[in-house]
Amino acid sequence: SQTIHQWPATLVQPVGSPLSLECTVEGTSNPNLYWYRQAAGRGLQLLFYSVGIGQISSEVPQNLSASRPQDRQFILSSKKLLLSDSGFYLCAWSEGTGGADEQYFGPGTRLTVT
Amino acid sequence: GENVEQHPSTLSVQEGDSAVIKCTYSDSASNYFPWYKQELGKGPQLIIDIRSNVGEKKDQRIAVTLNKTAKHFSLHITETQPEDSAVYFCAASRTPNAGKSTFGDGTTLTVKP
C-alpha cells in the first residue's frame, strides 16, 4: 500500500531563517505531488505541484520554492522566512497522468515563524 | 479561476441527527468533487467523491449530491456519531488534473453525545 511521510511534524523558526520541509511517498511510481498551505480556520491553498522529477509549477507568487530531486521526494524551501509563512503545510500525492483522481495527504508540518 | 464557497462554517448537531454541508462552485468545467475529513492536527482524509456524470453517491452513512445546473454539491451524514466530529472540506477540480483542486474554507462539525 502507499504511504506518504512528512517531516518535521512541527517547526519553530525565526524570521529570516531558511526552511526545508520534506515529503516522501512510498508504494507508487511517477506520482503527482503537491504542496498546500492551510491557514488557521481556512481551507487549503495549493502552492506547488509536480508531475515529474524537476517539473515544478507554482500556483501563487510567494516567498517559497519547491524541488523534486527524486521521483517520490518533494521538498518545500525558503531562503528567508517571513512571519506570514506560518501555517500548516501539507504534502499530497495522486496517481500520475491517466491515473485515478483521488488525492492523498500527508500528516502535515506545523510551521511557526517567530 | 475556480471559486468554492462552503456553508456553514460551523455546525453542531445531536448524536443521531443528520448533518448537511453545502458547497457552490463557479467553474462550469469542474467535474470532480471530493470531500475530506480533517481531524485536529492531521492531514485531510478523502471520505467520498462524486463526478459530474453522477447526481448522487452513497457510502454507508455518508452521501453526496451534485446539481450541475445550479453548480452546487452537498455532503449528507446520517445517524451522526461523536467520532464524526471534525473539519470537513469540499473541493472542486477538472480532471485529469484533479489534484489542482480549489478547496472550500471548511465546516467544523461537532456532534454532541
Side-chain angles (χ1 to χ4, degrees):
Chain A
S1 63
Q2 300 87 4
T3 56
I4 178 169
H5 304 279
Q6 283 186 248
W7 65 90
T10 60
L11 190 60
V12 180
Q13 292 284 94
V15 169
S17 64
L19 172 74
S20 181
L21 303 181
E22 189 165 343
C23 170
T24 60
V25 181
E26 296 177 355
T28 187
S29 297
N30 303 315
N32 292 338
L33 297 172
Y34 313 87
W35 277 112
Y36 287 86
R37 176 167 57 202
Q38 184 176 27
R42 299 298 301 275
L44 283 69
Q45 180 186 36
L46 180 62
L47 302 176
F48 301 96
Y49 74 97
S50 172
V51 298
I53 295 174
Q55 300 179 61
I56 310 293
S57 295
S58 174
E59 291 297 298
V60 293
Q62 59 208 316
N63 184 43
L64 303 169
S65 62
S67 61
R68 184 170 177 174
Q70 300 180 45
D71 181 45
R72 290 169 290 177
Q73 183 185 29
F74 206 22
I75 297 172
L76 184 69
S77 304
S78 175
K79 293 182 179 179
K80 289 185 178 181
L81 283 168
L82 306 173
L83 286 174
S84 57
D85 292 324
S86 293
F88 193 47
Y89 288 84
L90 289 155
C91 181
W93 74 272
S94 66
E95 290 187 3
T97 302
D101 300 318
E102 290 81 1
Q103 196 171 37
Y104 302 94
F105 286 84
T109 294
R110 175 76 58 191
L111 172 65
T112 303
V113 182
T114 60
Chain B
E2 175 70 280
N3 182 50
V4 176
E5 295 189 358
Q6 183 172 346
H7 300 281
S9 58
T10 60
L11 179 60
S12 181
V13 300
Q14 288 294 136
E15 182 177 0
D17 289 349
S18 296
V20 180
I21 302 170
K22 299 181 179 181
C23 289
T24 61
Y25 61 99
S26 61
D27 185 355
S28 57
S30 289
N31 57 0
Y32 178 65
F33 307 93
W35 285 89
Y36 296 88
K37 175 183 181 182
Q38 185 177 28
E39 297 178 343
L40 192 62
K42 298 183 178 180
Q45 181 180 15
L46 178 69
I47 55 172
I48 195 168
D49 56 15
I50 192 167
R51 300 171 196 281
S52 59
N53 59 347
V54 175
E56 183 174 359
K57 184 177 179 180
K58 189 174 182 180
D59 182 4
Q60 299 183 342
R61 296 185 297 108
I62 294 174
V64 58
T65 59
L66 171 65
N67 183 325
K68 284 171 36 181
T69 302
K71 291 190 283 189
H72 66 70
F73 55 112
S74 301
L75 177 71
H76 305 252
I77 306 175
T78 59
E79 301 173 17
T80 54
Q81 302 168 3
E83 51 266 37
D84 294 328
S85 297
V87 180
Y88 290 82
F89 292 97
C90 63
S93 64
R94 300 185 191 183
T95 60
N97 295 313
K100 294 178 65 179
S101 299
T102 300
F103 283 76
D105 283 345
T107 295
T108 300
L109 173 64
T110 302
V111 180
K112 299 179 180 178

